DNA sequence: AAACAGGCCTAAA
DNA sequence: TTTAGGCCTGTT
């Protein structure tokens, strides 16, 4: 990968495995949206950006300094996904899955945002999850300005910790409101130290997260994978259950994918949801 | 209209 | 330790 400043954008060239649609629409994040030209805009880690592909280059709004301090890490650009795809190609089904999903990457998302977002995601569909999170950010997040437009950062835990269930009723997120507030209180008070969790192994961090009401096995695994960037976490939702049942034995163990089980999961999930593996 | 949606919690075996 | 029913809300 090479990069250089081009007016208000940074141009990345020679980027391998970088497909905007697969990265943003594979189900891992909820705050990026594309316009009719395929230009994505969104907010991560308190920064707004626009990002687009033109021919073989990726253009990200902002300076080289922004790119180096924020986006390079966020997009996990120093990891060789091509190599990982080869490693995960362990049987016919996985080869098809990684081939189909080539170009997706696991974003290194902000920890608290991941916790809160995946609490909201439970028993919900993506459009509604995105709508709720957008409303939450508009109401409680700091304003961010980019290119004459206003964006909103993900609200800090201390802000949400002081809200009542009634204060969140406008979100219409139902029983999840209480979970959000409890999680915000736990993080704000220091009872749950997300930075410290990042240093534990997957099993210990899962257990710490599952101590929160409203965080079960699936949600906790999503938080560990997408928020703590532990690539061996393996979230299993209904789609994953289905695809595992179709392609593996009852004694299936994600350990067969080694330390990249979480990435394997994302290829499987994306492939399963596409419905392409049925035909 | 009733069931379901990218789970979780609680009560009950 | 496993299973059933209920939960907010929006959609089909």
């Amino acid at each position: 990968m090479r990069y250089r400043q081009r007016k208000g954008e940074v141009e990345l060239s020679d980027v391998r495995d970088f497909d905007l649609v697969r990265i943003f629409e594979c189900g891992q994040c909820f705050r990026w949206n594309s316009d009719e030209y395929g230009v994505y805009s969104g907010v991560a880690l308190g920064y707004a950006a626009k990002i687009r592909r033109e021919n073989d280059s990726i253009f990200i709004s902002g300076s080289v300094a922004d790119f180096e301090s924020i986006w390079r890490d966020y997009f996990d650009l120093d990891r060789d996904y091509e190599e990982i795809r080869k490693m995960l190609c362990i049987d016919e089904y996985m080869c098809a899955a990684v081939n189909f999903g080539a170009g997706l990457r696991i974003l290194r998302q902000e920890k608290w945002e991941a916790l809160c977002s995946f609490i909201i995601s439970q028993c919900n569909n993506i459009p509604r999850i995105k709508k709720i999170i957008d409303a939450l950010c508009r109401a409680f997040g700091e304003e961010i300005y980019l290119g004459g437009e206003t964006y909103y950062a993900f609200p800090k835990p201390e802000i949400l910790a002081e809200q009542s269930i009634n204060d969140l009723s406008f979100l219409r997120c139902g029983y999840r409101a209480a979970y959000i507030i409890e999680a915000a209180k736990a993080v704000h008070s220091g009872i749950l130290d997300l930075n410290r969790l990042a240093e534990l192994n997957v099993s210990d961090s899962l257990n710490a997260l599952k101590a929160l009401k409203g965080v079960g096995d699936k949600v906790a695994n999503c938080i560990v994978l997408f928020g703590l960037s532990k690539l061996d976490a393996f979230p299993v939702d209904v789609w994953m259950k289905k695809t595992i049942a179709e392609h593996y034995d009852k004694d299936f163990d994600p350990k067969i994918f080694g330390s990249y089980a979480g990435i394997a999961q994302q290829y499987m999930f994306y492939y399963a949801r596409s419905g392409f593996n049925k035909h």
Side-chain angles (χ1 to χ4, degrees):
Chain A
M1 174 188 69
R2 293 174 296 130
Y3 57 94
R4 59 173 166 169
Q5 192 74 47
R6 303 280 289 200
K7 298 179 183 171
E9 297 174 303
V10 173
E11 175 181 7
L12 314 185
S13 38
D14 298 331
V15 211
R16 316 292 282 167
D17 277 70
F18 196 108
D19 183 297
L20 288 174
V21 175
R22 287 175 184 159
I23 290 170
F24 291 134
E25 316 282 357
C26 74
Q28 64 180 320
C29 60
F30 307 104
R31 299 211 64 206
W32 292 91
N33 297 293
S34 80
D35 65 14
E36 67 261 48
Y37 305 108
V39 179
Y40 277 87
S41 56
V43 177
L45 304 154
Y47 294 83
K50 279 183 181 292
I51 174 165
R52 64 192 175 89
R53 171 180 288 280
E54 188 177 310
N55 302 319
D56 289 329
S57 291
I58 301 292
F59 291 84
I60 305 177
S61 60
S63 65
V64 163
D66 294 330
F67 173 72
E68 288 175 341
S69 64
I70 306 294
W71 306 116
R72 182 177 189 149
D73 183 67
Y74 180 70
F75 287 106
D76 202 20
L77 282 168
D78 292 302
R79 198 181 305 281
D80 186 349
Y81 278 74
E82 195 171 356
E83 183 62 28
I84 291 171
R85 279 190 286 116
K86 284 180 193 158
M87 290 174 53
L88 294 177
C89 181
I90 58 172
D91 54 37
E92 193 181 340
Y93 164 71
M94 280 307 295
C95 292
V98 299
N99 192 47
F100 182 81
L104 73 78
R105 315 178 74 85
I106 303 294
L107 297 168
R108 299 171 71 88
Q109 301 185 53
E110 201 275 316
K111 301 173 184 64
W112 158 245
E113 176 174 341
L115 167 53
C116 198
S117 297
F118 284 99
I119 283 175
I120 292 169
S121 80
Q122 65 185 253
C123 207
N124 241 164
N125 52 50
I126 291 177
R128 190 169 160 223
I129 297 165
K130 290 176 88 165
K131 195 174 161 192
I132 291 169
I133 293 175
D134 183 61
L136 185 69
C137 295
R138 284 174 186 279
F140 301 110
E142 288 177 19
E143 295 188 344
I144 304 168
Y145 306 103
L146 174 70
E149 293 173 75
T150 304
Y151 296 81
Y152 296 88
F154 198 87
K156 298 202 178 318
E158 52 261 44
I159 302 292
L160 296 185
E162 62 193 20
Q163 308 303 320
S164 67
I165 290 179
N166 203 256
D167 293 330
L168 297 188
S169 62
F170 73 96
L171 294 174
R172 307 197 62 71
C173 68
Y175 56 83
R176 301 164 194 82
Y179 300 157
I180 292 170
I181 295 166
E182 187 197 307
K185 285 179 174 166
V187 171
H188 178 230
S189 67
I191 290 173
L192 182 63
D193 184 341
L194 293 173
N195 290 322
R196 202 181 65 79
L197 276 199
E199 313 192 340
L200 304 178
N201 61 38
V202 168
S203 164
D204 288 344
S205 45
L206 286 176
N207 287 332
L209 289 164
K210 283 157 75 173
L212 292 172
K213 206 172 271 181
V215 178
D217 205 51
K218 191 271 179 180
V219 166
N221 270 283
C222 285
I223 298 162
V224 172
L225 176 59
F226 303 121
L228 303 184
S229 304
K230 294 185 185 299
L231 299 180
D232 48 338
F234 195 83
V236 177
D237 71 324
V238 294
W239 290 93
M240 285 298 294
K241 266 185 198 138
K242 227 180 286 178
T243 202
I244 289 168
E246 280 172 22
H247 299 281
Y248 293 98
D249 299 334
K250 210 163 172 67
D251 60 343
F252 167 82
D253 187 332
K255 283 189 171 47
I256 61 172
F257 302 124
S259 55
Y260 293 124
I263 301 184
Q265 176 273 160
Q266 207 60 30
Y267 286 117
M268 294 168 79
F269 178 76
Y270 184 68
Y271 192 43
R273 287 216 53 193
S274 75
F276 201 83
N277 60 135
K278 307 284 185 214
H279 310 292

